[in-house]
Amino acid sequence: MAGLIILAMGSNPLDFFAGVWTYGVTGSNWQRSLVLMAPLLIVAVGLIVAFRGQLWNLGYNGQYLLGAVVASGFGPYLFDAMPVWLATIVIFLGSLLVGAIWSLVPSILKARYGTNEIITSLVMSFIGIGVANLLIKGPFKDTTTPQPQTAVIGDENLLAYIPGTSIHVGLIIALVLAVVAQFVFSRTSFGLRMDIFGASPKAARHVGINSTWMVILLFALSSGLIAFAGAVDVLGQYSYQRANWNPHYGDAVMPFVFLARLSPIAAIPLVGFYAVLATGGTLAAQQAGLNVDFLLVIVGLILIFMTITEYVGERRRLGQSYLPPGLRRTLARPFQTGAARKES
């Protein structure tokens, strides 16, 4: 389908896909793809934590930027005041804490009053994006440049590279997080409680699971990890942050999170695929005479075909749903209610 769209736009789809491979994999380009994969995978794990608990954390853009501004804004001062390793730990903990705190409003409203977390998390995301921009243009602004950006963190203070490569250790951190999350979900009592809560909050209350604290905890873990991805990205790759910058990582990886059926391990190759597509596709689109936004079209096509597969799997019983039982029932409830009203 993407190839047909490229043809309709007057370009050669073979040139585009060959360019994705060339600029995303061959030579040393694979290292750039793996650098991008680090924050993408951490964001994916953060989303999986919320989705497995039947919670829709859609505030990822604001959470990511707030975590990034913790690193870019405080980093230059902390690295001057303390050893690099200690400053890095403080920045990582600070980003996790900021993300967790930013989730309190939607999580408490959801837990105590049943407020739709899709709306509240999106509102908090818009506010978070605004706060990050205000900080970059205000107290964190680098006074030595007219551009609204933070001071550049020195190369000696950034995350170390994996020996023999230009890939920072943030990728190892991301892979370890995915493995640990998979173990927690599948091999611990907390993972079992989370799955029970995600499948049925009412059943969870009957077996003694505190639904209020579960909502708050899962939202905090999800938001904290996404903010942590922002700090890893700044300390591993960018070294500073400009106003109005937003990579929209959450929008990009969400389809692959569901393709992985909310499994952190299964998400690794899928996120890696998108990292190659994003890295190589940017230059490939330019070479093929396409707008870079065409990559978003490909992600949109993936969402469309996921929707079709979901319909076929559920209505025709020819496959398995991409959604876990709890989320599937939540989405189906409005349609069931509407059908019941028609029958009555």
Side-chain angles (χ1 to χ4, degrees):
M1 183 62 71
L4 293 177
I5 295 175
I6 294 174
L7 278 175
M9 297 175 68
S11 299
N12 189 336
L14 296 179
D15 290 341
F16 172 76
F17 292 115
V20 171
W21 176 263
T22 300
Y23 300 121
V25 177
T26 61
S28 62
N29 292 322
W30 62 273
Q31 298 187 45
R32 294 193 302 117
S33 297
L34 290 181
V35 168
L36 176 60
M37 181 180 172
L40 288 171
L41 183 57
I42 298 174
V43 171
V45 174
L47 291 176
I48 289 172
V49 170
F51 293 161
R52 286 183 73 110
Q54 201 178 335
L55 299 171
W56 291 90
N57 177 15
L58 300 187
Y60 38 74
N61 288 326
Q63 294 154 11
Y64 170 90
L65 290 176
L66 287 172
V69 85
V70 168
S72 61
F74 290 105
Y77 304 103
L78 292 175
F79 286 121
D80 288 340
M82 58 184 66
V84 173
W85 65 270
L86 182 58
T88 302
I89 292 175
V90 171
I91 290 170
F92 283 167
L93 292 177
S95 64
L96 285 165
L97 183 61
V98 166
I101 291 174
W102 206 251
S103 73
L104 288 178
V105 171
S107 63
I108 291 176
L109 288 176
K110 170 70 174 180
R112 299 292 296 176
Y113 306 106
T115 307
N116 190 320
E117 74 274 17
I118 295 177
I119 298 173
T120 54
S121 62
L122 283 172
V123 170
M124 291 302 293
S125 179
F126 289 131
I127 296 173
I129 293 171
V131 169
N133 286 327
L134 287 174
L135 290 173
I136 295 170
K137 296 176 181 178
F140 291 159
K141 184 181 183 300
D142 183 4
T143 56
T144 64
T145 177
Q147 296 291 337
Q149 67 178 54
T150 61
V152 177
I153 300 173
D155 292 343
E156 68 279 3
N157 297 324
L158 298 179
L159 295 179
Y161 291 129
I162 299 173
T165 72
S166 58
I167 306 168
H168 60 77
V169 297
L171 177 63
I172 297 178
I173 295 174
L175 292 172
V176 170
L177 277 174
V179 172
V180 171
Q182 185 72 39
F183 176 82
V184 170
F185 295 158
S186 59
R187 293 289 187 269
T188 67
S189 59
F190 175 77
L192 178 61
R193 291 197 299 271
M194 183 172 63
D195 286 341
I196 294 173
F197 175 78
S200 173
K202 291 182 179 179
R205 285 193 292 270
H206 282 300
V207 297
I209 297 174
N210 190 317
S211 297
T212 299
W213 283 110
M214 184 62 76
V215 170
I216 294 173
L217 177 60
L218 293 182
F219 241 110
L221 288 174
S222 174
S223 302
L225 285 172
I226 295 171
F228 176 66
V232 168
D233 215 14
V234 168
L235 294 185
Q237 180 178 192
Y238 291 108
S239 75
Y240 72 99
Q241 186 176 356
R242 284 188 174 178
N244 302 317
W245 168 74
N246 188 354
H248 296 280
Y249 286 156
D251 299 324
V253 301
M254 185 180 294
F256 302 102
V257 163
F258 285 109
L259 279 174
R261 304 192 189 281
L262 304 187
S263 167
I265 293 294
I268 293 175
L270 295 172
V271 171
F273 164 78
Y274 176 77
V276 171
L277 177 65
T279 302
T282 301
L283 291 174
Q286 295 173 357
Q287 293 290 332
L290 299 171
N291 191 291
V292 176
D293 292 336
F294 179 73
L295 297 178
L296 297 177
V297 175
I298 296 178
V299 174
L301 289 173
I302 293 173
L303 281 169
I304 291 173
F305 283 105
M306 280 179 56
T307 304
I308 294 173
T309 304
E310 178 71 16
Y311 172 80
V312 172
E314 284 295 286
R315 301 297 182 183
R316 306 303 179 191
R317 304 301 179 187
L318 297 178
Q320 182 179 357
S321 170
Y322 283 108
L323 301 176
L327 284 179
R328 191 163 64 250
R329 282 194 294 271
T330 299
L331 293 177
R333 194 172 298 134
F335 300 102
Q336 296 170 351
T337 304
R341 288 175 179 172
K342 290 181 180 179
E343 290 176 1
S344 62

